[in-house]
């Protein structure tokens, strides 16, 4: 099934570039691995190198690269899975994370550590996504 028909709702609310990044990678992964979860994981891994999830959509990152420790893994190590930041750019500066948290209305952000900001942004993103789907 072509990626455009499987485009996740968060990507439907994102830029054309984000949609094309996910779609091209997804279609290529389907050819390589077949339809299913692995193709989706591959597409999201590619997306997270250039985009970060902010609220209910994806925005282009200032700098390309892995978004968290799991995204930095490759090969068999990556396929074994692990905890991800759910699209939050955990490798961004604390200042950037603070700004994202501020845009999302995260309470108590000024007292949070970098790891706490990542977790709070992830929760805020999930809330926004749920709200947008209803």
């Amino acid at each position: 099934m072509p990626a455009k028909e499987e485009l996740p709702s968060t990507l439907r609310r994102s830029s054309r570039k984000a949609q094309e990044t996910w779609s091209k990678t997804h279609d290529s992964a389907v050819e390589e691995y077949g339809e299913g979860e692995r193709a989706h994981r591959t597409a999201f891994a590619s997306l997270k190198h250039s985009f970060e999830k902010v609220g209910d959509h994806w925005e282009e990152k200032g700098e390309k690269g892995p978004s968290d420790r799991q995204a930095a893994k490759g090969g068999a190590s990556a396929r074994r899975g692990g905890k991800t930041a759910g699209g939050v750019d955990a490798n961004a500066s604390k200042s950037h994370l603070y700004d994202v948290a501020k845009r999302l209305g995260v309470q108590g952000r000024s007292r949070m550590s970098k790891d706490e900001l990542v977790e709070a942004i992830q929760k805020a993103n999930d809330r926004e996504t749920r709200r947008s789907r209803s």
Side-chain angles (χ1 to χ4, degrees), residues 45 49 66 68-83:
H49 268 70
D68 54 40
R69 284 188 207 115
Q70 179 63 25
K73 294 179 183 178
S77 175
R79 287 191 296 278
R80 279 193 288 277
K83 186 170 168 32

Side-chain angles (χ1 to χ4, degrees), residues 14 20 34 42 45:
S14 302
E20 288 174 358
T42 302

Side-chain angles (χ1 to χ4, degrees), residues 40-55:
H40 278 10
R41 280 195 327 254
T42 302
F44 274 111
S46 174
L47 180 72
K48 290 176 185 179
H49 268 70
S50 300
F51 295 86
E52 66 180 316
K53 190 169 181 213
V54 178

